Amino acid sequence: MSAATQDNALQGSRLTRGLIYAALLLFVLYYLLPLYVMVVNSLKPLDEIRSGNMLAFPEQWTVEPWQSAWSTAQIGVQPTGLKPYFINSILMVVPAVALSTAFGALNGYVLTKWRFKGDGIVFGFLLLACFIPFQIVLIPMARVLGIFGLAGTTSGLVLVHMVYGLGFTTLFFRNYYAAFPTELVKAAQIDGAGFFRIFWRILAPSSAPITVVTVIWQFTNIWNDFLFGVSFADFDSIPMTVALNNLVSSSTGVKAYNVHFAGAILAALPTLIVYVVSGRYFVRGLMAGAVKG
């Protein structure tokens, strides 16, 4: 009876596992189908797309839509492709991510290891910033950019994203540093270490997991942002997402769907690469922050 029971349990376990894998496979196919359609049709001539099945493999493979989307597609007045706007996004994202991460780490450090009267209120206001909709800050931010002479510039977009992301980065680092042994900080103070020396020598070396989480979060949000880009950018500082919208909107006559698909993939490629390369570190960092927070 014991052997029969074990066999039945084993068969039931295999059946359950098979059903779970089948359900997961269906979900994977469902979510990957749009990506498949985009990739396949970005490698087809336009006539082939217009003639029928968008799910079929290309009969004639071509990379011309990719070349056009990158360097010759009509975006606005000039046929520049997405290349200059890709560079604009890089020039915006890299400093915005670096600054918001650095200031978030310092805020988390101060709010956990250099407590002061009213620090909970300060953290509450920073936390509130995480829930403020984008639309509410448009007019105040436009006013601030105008006062500092940063309206329509890449530097202005960097400032906007750094300020808006500061609540999230502070939350991440504050929760991560909350369980870090305060005794180490006090011992360093007794040995004569100052504010920045303690941060760089003690906390920063142990912050790799939460730093990865913060960088991925900020990179994804800033790169994919459309509202701030379309609101505060000038022609010379337009980011990739706004340029992609202009690529689709500026097309006249026959829609070049293959070029649009290629442009959409180019716009999404950096965030996809970031998640593929460092996705597992993102999960580990979240778990570390959850345990320590």
Side-chain angles (χ1 to χ4, degrees), residues 72-82 85 235 238 242-252:
T72 62
Q74 185 77 30
I75 300 178
V77 180
Q78 299 295 330
T80 58
L82 292 172
Y85 308 102
F235 182 78
I238 290 176
V242 179
L244 179 62
N245 177 73
N246 294 343
L247 170 64
V248 177
S249 301
S250 63
S251 298
T252 58

Side-chain angles (χ1 to χ4, degrees), residues 265-290:
I265 297 173
L266 287 172
L269 200 57
T271 53
L272 181 63
I273 292 174
V274 166
Y275 270 108
V276 169
V277 172
S278 55
R280 58 179 179 175
Y281 303 106
F282 182 79
V283 176
R284 291 178 184 176
L286 282 179
M287 295 302 297

Side-chain angles (χ1 to χ4, degrees), residues 74-220:
Q74 185 77 30
I75 300 178
V77 180
Q78 299 295 330
T80 58
L82 292 172
K83 181 179 178 179
Y85 308 102
F86 185 91
I87 296 173
N88 287 345
S89 287
I90 293 293
L91 295 177
M92 174 188 67
V93 169
V94 172
V97 170
L99 290 172
S100 60
T101 301
F103 282 114
L106 288 173
N107 287 345
Y109 169 47
V110 170
L111 291 172
T112 54
K113 305 308 174 189
W114 295 78
R115 305 292 296 272
F116 56 90
K117 186 177 181 180
D119 61 340
I121 298 176
V122 173
F123 178 66
F125 278 115
L126 287 171
L127 189 61
L128 179 64
C130 298
F131 304 99
I132 296 178
F134 282 22
Q135 294 82 356
I136 292 180
V137 302
L138 290 182
I139 295 178
M141 190 62 71
R143 178 62 177 161
V144 171
L145 293 179
I147 293 173
F148 288 103
L150 296 175
T153 65
T154 301
S155 300
L157 289 175
V158 170
L159 177 63
V160 169
H161 288 293
M162 183 195 72
V163 171
Y164 192 84
L166 199 57
F168 291 100
T169 59
T170 300
L171 173 64
F172 294 156
F173 280 98
R174 189 263 183 191
N175 287 348
Y176 189 82
Y177 290 152
F180 192 89
T182 306
E183 290 76 11
L184 292 178
V185 176
K186 292 181 178 180
Q189 287 179 299
I190 293 174
D191 291 338
F195 178 87
F196 287 104
R197 189 177 184 86
I198 294 174
F199 178 76
W200 287 113
R201 292 298 182 89
I202 298 179
L203 271 77
S206 67
S207 302
I210 200 62
T211 300
V212 171
V213 170
T214 306
V215 167
I216 294 176
W217 175 271
Q218 282 295 91
F219 183 92
T220 303

